[in-house]
Each structure stands twice: as structure tokens, then as C-alpha cells.
Amino acid sequence: MTKKARIAVFVSGGGTNLEALLNAQESGKIPHGEIVLVCASNPEAYALTRAKNHGVPGVAVSKKQMSQQEFEQQLNKHLKDYQIDFVILAGFMSILSEEFVRQWTDRIINVHPSLIPSFCGKGMYGLRVHEAALAKGVKVTGATVHLVNEIPDGGRILLQKAVEIRDDDSAESLQRRVMEEAEWLLLPQAAEMIALQITSDKV
Ligand code: GAR
């Protein structure tokens, strides 16, 4: 088999999506890729403990007390040191500049907890997305995995999965179900899609 694509996962918090990716990898669902680095924007992120428990190196790069440029220089240094082929944003809450995104064209994917183009854009992240869906009264929501590129290709969609909204849902119960029924399934699938593409390009 050709060399596996080397994956970095960027996280900021609990890291349940990271856990889903690591479990998928361990059960052979990402045969063309390997998660070799976890990068947290917050040194307290529980995701770093999850990485350690799975034997994957973790680093923290906090934006506090540094410029955007320094922050991204540090990220890029880690990506270079670990010879990363592509990056998965799995609940990564720090903004990345257009320049960074350009350097990694077609090499960054993100999971968003709604069916894009609904409930996305500025200020829409985490629980807020589910609060907005409930406030609107939609009956179906879901999750989207998309490429993070410059406009016009900005958010080319790779995978989506719908999740039903129940009458008694709270933002918290909806968030949990969207993760269980959509995010945790889509991310490993998308990781394998990109890894397969990168490894076949390498041949
Ligand atoms: C997930 O619900 C993810 O979709 C969301 O943050 C959560 C991270 O959870 N991401 C966004 O809102 C990005 N716009 P996790 O740390 O347990 O994986």
C-alpha cells in the first residue's frame, strides 16, 4: 500500500469528534490516512487528554498574547515538523486567516453542526447553531463537512447528513443528537475521502 496521508486534527474543547476520528482509525475505517498530530487552541482542552489516551502527540498553540501571524506561524511549524498532508477542524474555535487557508488550499476540512447554508456564518458556532435552529422552528437539521477554501470555492460541501428535530428538544439535546447521528459518522468518512485522494495523487 502507498504511504498513508498524514492528518492533523485541530481542536478547542471536549474533543468528541476527535474521539470519533481516533476510534474510526483504530477500527480500520480510515485506511488511507493516519492521525499523527492533535493541535489545540487551548492548553486546557480535554481533547488533548483524549489524544494522549490514544497515543497521539498533542500540542497547544494558544492565540493569547500573540498576533494572528505568530499564531499561524506556530501552527505551520507544527504542521511542517509532523509532515502533515491535511488538517481536520473538529470543533476548532479560532479563526484562520485567508493567507493560512490559501497555503492549505483543498487541505483543510471542517465540521459544522447544521445543514449549510442554514445556520452558518459569522457568530454561528457550537450551541448557538442549535439555538438558532430551534428558534426558527425547523423540523430537520444536521451536520455538514466542507472544505475550507478561499471564496468563491469557500465552503465546497463534501458530506451532509440530516437529523430530525423533536418537539421536546433543547439546544443541548439537539447538539448531542447531531453529534451522535451525523458529525461522528461524517468526519471519519470525509477524512478517508481526502486521504484516499491525497494518496492516489502521490503515486
Ligand atoms: C461540535 O458540535 C462541532 O460541530 C462544533 O463544535 C462542537 C465541538 O465538539 N463546531 C462548530 O460549531 C464549528 N463552526 P467536540 O469538541 O466535542 O468535538
Side-chain angles (χ1 to χ4, degrees):
M1 181 164 155
T2 48
K3 268 173 97 177
K4 292 186 180 195
R6 294 173 66 81
I7 307 169
V9 184
F10 284 12
V11 293
S12 295
T16 63
N17 277 298
L18 170 69
E19 185 82 38
L21 281 161
L22 291 167
N23 288 337
Q25 170 168 290
E26 285 160 16
S27 56
K29 291 186 182 137
I30 314 178
H32 293 87
E34 186 179 5
I35 298 162
V36 294
L37 176 67
V38 171
C39 219
S41 64
N42 159 20
E44 308 293 314
Y46 184 67
L48 286 173
T49 305
R50 294 185 194 269
K52 199 172 167 203
N53 291 343
H54 285 264
V56 175
V59 294
V61 181
S62 171
K63 212 168 180 169
K64 278 186 192 150
Q65 291 165 350
M66 65 172 87
S67 66
Q68 182 75 21
Q69 197 183 12
E70 287 166 327
F71 174 65
E72 291 179 354
Q73 273 168 359
Q74 288 206 11
L75 289 176
N76 265 326
K77 183 179 182 313
H78 290 303
L79 296 179
K80 194 168 171 228
D81 286 350
Y82 282 85
Q83 298 174 297
I84 296 301
D85 291 306
F86 77 101
V87 174
I88 300 176
L89 308 182
F92 186 65
M93 298 303 175
S94 290
I95 303 283
L96 296 169
S97 72
E98 278 183 27
E99 191 190 340
F100 185 89
V101 166
R102 193 177 318 124
Q103 286 164 357
W104 289 89
T105 297
D106 288 335
R107 293 287 187 270
I108 306 177
I109 63 173
N110 179 49
V111 64
H112 183 75
S114 75
L115 294 174
I116 290 175
S118 291
F119 311 115
C120 61
K122 207 162 184 265
M124 277 292 179
Y125 58 87
L127 214 51
R128 290 182 186 192
V129 179
H130 305 290
E131 286 165 354
L134 290 176
K136 189 74 185 172
V138 293
K139 302 299 174 202
V140 174
T141 185
T144 302
V145 178
H146 61 95
L147 282 167
V148 179
N149 278 345
E150 281 183 290
I151 292 161
D153 182 43
R156 186 153 62 83
I157 287 168
L158 297 173
L159 293 170
Q160 286 188 305
K161 190 165 185 290
V163 173
E164 192 190 333
I165 296 183
R166 296 180 188 154
D167 290 343
D168 61 349
D169 262 328
S170 62
E172 288 79 7
S173 67
L174 186 56
Q175 180 181 48
R176 180 76 193 178
R177 216 164 56 258
V178 167
M179 284 177 158
E180 284 172 358
E181 293 182 14
E183 295 181 42
W184 298 345
L185 308 177
L186 293 185
L187 260 190
Q189 279 178 35
E192 174 57 13
M193 271 170 69
I194 301 292
L196 179 60
Q197 188 189 316
I198 287 175
T199 49
S200 38
D201 286 352
K202 273 184 179 175
V203 199

